[in-house]
Amino acid sequence: GAVVSQHPSRVICKSGTSVKIECRSLDFQATTMFWYRQFPKQSLMLMATSNEGSKATYEQGVEKDKFLINHASLTLSTLTVTSAHPEDSSFYICSARDAGSTDTQYFGPGTRLTVL
Amino acid sequence: RKEVEQDPGPFNVPEGATVAFNCTYSNSASQSFFWYRQDCRKEPKLLMSVYSSGNEDGRFTAQLNRASQYISLLIRDSKLSDSATYLCVVSSGGTSYGKLTFGQGTILTVHP
């Protein structure tokens, strides 16, 4: 099946630093990628929809200046958590929709962010 | 009201048992429906899509009732490896095409 990778898989950083997470579709082109966040014992919550070549669409309550998304190519989207704080500690997961498919999304393995 | 609501769980069942999960969704314009499973500290993995005609994949059977906005998943002959969190997922149409909305998940533990 299609593969989506995320890097890094785990990051620990100090409060106030910025963290960049990469999401790559390895064997297909993804015009749309989605970024989710999952807190412990909760379900995935969509943060934003990343569209190649255009601005991301953010869900209500998600600060676009804090969570910067760049989708510069058909295989790469990045999420940068700026000035991270302990409350940003979470499991961040991306998914990519195959441009050749109507409704199939493939999930990356997730990035576990811990902000000290 | 949450967009996608699931049985609160958790479900603890012995091996070989049959277990059923229910899910309701609020957006009548929803277009596609799925069950995902998520293992601890891992990403969700697609278990199966759900169709109005019902579909079966081995021990798993999914049903969709659009009129009632209700989705179900039946697992027969439970295995230890079925222990996971099961997520009911709904995909939007229109301008929100492709957006997935996840239920809170139901934890299943299958014990020997």
Side-chain angles (χ1 to χ4, degrees), chain A residues 18-30:
Chain A
S18 293
V19 176
K20 180 188 281 189
I21 303 170
E22 293 185 350
C23 178
R24 293 181 186 272
S25 56
L26 298 185
D27 52 1
F28 65 97
Q29 293 186 330

Side-chain angles (χ1 to χ4, degrees), chain A residues 75-89:
Chain A
T75 60
L76 172 65
S77 175
T78 60
L79 168 68
T80 301
V81 183
T82 61
S83 187
H85 291 282
E87 58 266 31
D88 298 322
S89 299

Side-chain angles (χ1 to χ4, degrees), chain A residues 38 43 59 102-103 105 108, chain B residues 32 38 41 43 97-99 103:
Chain A
Q38 186 176 32
S43 193
E59 295 301 299
T102 56
D103 212 2
Q105 290 188 30
Chain B
S32 303
Q38 185 175 25
R41 304 174 80 84
E43 78 276 21
Y97 180 73
K99 280 178 53 174

Side-chain angles (χ1 to χ4, degrees), chain B residues 5-75:
Chain B
E5 295 205 60
Q6 295 184 235
D7 277 347
F11 287 72
N12 289 287
V13 303
E15 275 187 288
T18 295
V19 61
F21 302 141
N22 303 316
C23 170
T24 57
Y25 61 96
S26 60
N27 184 355
S28 59
S30 299
Q31 299 210 334
S32 303
F33 309 88
F34 311 92
W35 284 101
Y36 280 73
R37 70 170 277 168
Q38 185 175 25
D39 294 289
C40 190
R41 304 174 80 84
K42 299 283 189 180
E43 78 276 21
K45 293 188 185 292
L46 179 64
L47 181 64
M48 59 198 306
S49 301
V50 189
Y51 307 111
S52 296
S53 55
N55 49 304
E56 186 175 310
D57 183 2
R59 299 180 292 108
F60 299 84
T61 301
Q63 290 277 354
L64 165 67
N65 185 320
R66 283 188 181 268
S68 304
Q69 295 180 198
Y70 171 90
I71 307 163
S72 66
L73 176 68
L74 183 75
I75 305 176

Side-chain angles (χ1 to χ4, degrees), chain A residues 10 32 34 36 38 41-46 49 59 91 93 95 97 101-110 112, chain B residues 6 31-34 36 38 40-46 87-88 91-92 96-105:
Chain A
R10 184 186 296 268
T32 305
F34 301 89
Y36 297 84
Q38 186 176 32
K41 299 189 185 301
Q42 295 185 26
S43 193
L44 278 74
M45 293 296 294
L46 179 66
T49 302
E59 295 301 299
F91 191 44
I93 307 174
S95 71
R97 188 164 74 218
S101 167
T102 56
D103 212 2
T104 304
Q105 290 188 30
Y106 302 95
F107 283 85
R112 193 160 300 280
Chain B
Q6 295 184 235
Q31 299 210 334
S32 303
F33 309 88
F34 311 92
Y36 280 73
Q38 185 175 25
C40 190
R41 304 174 80 84
K42 299 283 189 180
E43 78 276 21
K45 293 188 185 292
L46 179 64
L87 303 167
C88 177
S91 177
S92 306
S96 300
Y97 180 73
K99 280 178 53 174
L100 297 182
T101 303
F102 287 76
Q104 73 269 32

